[in-house]
Amino acid sequence: MGDLEIRAAVPDDIPAVVALLADDPLGAQRESPDDLGPYLAALERLSADPNQRLVVAVREGRVVGTLQLTIVPGLSRRGSTRSIIEGVRVHADERGSGLGTRFVEWAIEESRRENCQLVQLTSDIARTDAHRFYERLGFVASHVGFKLQL
């Protein structure tokens, strides 16, 4: 997989990123690939925040994956810094190729470089395949998450 590049997302990547986000039953209900304005504005905000990394995996000039990594300084755990992995998506053609593993391992290493003591993520309860994937990578389902739609 030497031909894979993981880099910061740029505005030209947004159509492919949004397509990845929308390419499953849950994302198809939430995303709007026909209106990229909100996504471009979000990328601008993310790019201006040093604690945010929206990255893409690119193979042969094509975006084949995306994830967001957020660095969160905190007081708990003796002032520990943690990271949150969010929005992990791999193109359907790449699933099972090891790309997801490499991508999450990149996020873990980036978290180490940022002196994080903990890496966390959430996954929709319906994504049972993703749960097995994260458990294989050493993540433990240790908490119950809650959301409030605003």
Side-chain angles (χ1 to χ4, degrees):
M1 248 196 251
D3 59 342
L4 185 75
E5 176 188 14
I6 297 174
R7 62 164 172 75
V10 298
D12 286 346
D13 297 325
I14 292 301
V17 169
V18 174
L20 287 169
L21 294 172
D23 186 30
D24 67 39
L26 295 173
Q29 297 172 33
R30 299 188 292 229
E31 308 303 339
S32 301
D34 296 333
D35 180 11
L36 297 178
Y39 301 98
L40 291 165
L43 177 62
E44 194 172 312
R45 290 191 311 273
L46 291 167
S47 298
D49 184 338
N51 288 321
Q52 301 292 335
R53 289 152 187 65
L54 180 66
V55 296
V56 291
V58 179
R59 187 187 311 283
E60 298 175 0
R62 184 177 81 136
V63 173
V64 294
T66 188
L67 71 73
Q68 180 177 334
L69 182 68
T70 300
I71 308 301
V72 183
L75 288 175
S76 67
R77 294 177 179 250
R78 300 179 52 92
S80 292
T81 299
R82 67 185 65 205
S83 67
I84 301 170
I85 299 173
E86 179 70 26
V88 179
R89 298 293 189 282
V90 172
H91 193 282
D93 294 349
E94 295 277 339
R95 292 183 194 136
S97 72
L99 171 59
T101 297
R102 184 164 171 201
F103 218 13
V104 173
E105 287 174 347
W106 174 89
I108 293 167
E109 286 307 311
E110 184 72 9
S111 299
R112 282 192 179 105
R113 280 191 290 279
E114 291 292 333
N115 297 312
C116 295
Q117 288 76 42
L118 181 70
V119 179
Q120 61 190 43
L121 56 83
T122 61
S123 180
D124 191 280
I125 198 163
R127 296 186 189 278
T128 55
D129 289 343
H131 303 166
R132 285 190 295 276
F133 167 73
Y134 293 125
E135 287 169 348
R136 277 196 313 272
L137 293 175
F139 287 85
V140 176
S142 62
H143 290 67
V144 174
F146 296 89
K147 292 185 180 185
L148 175 64
Q149 191 74 30
L150 301 178

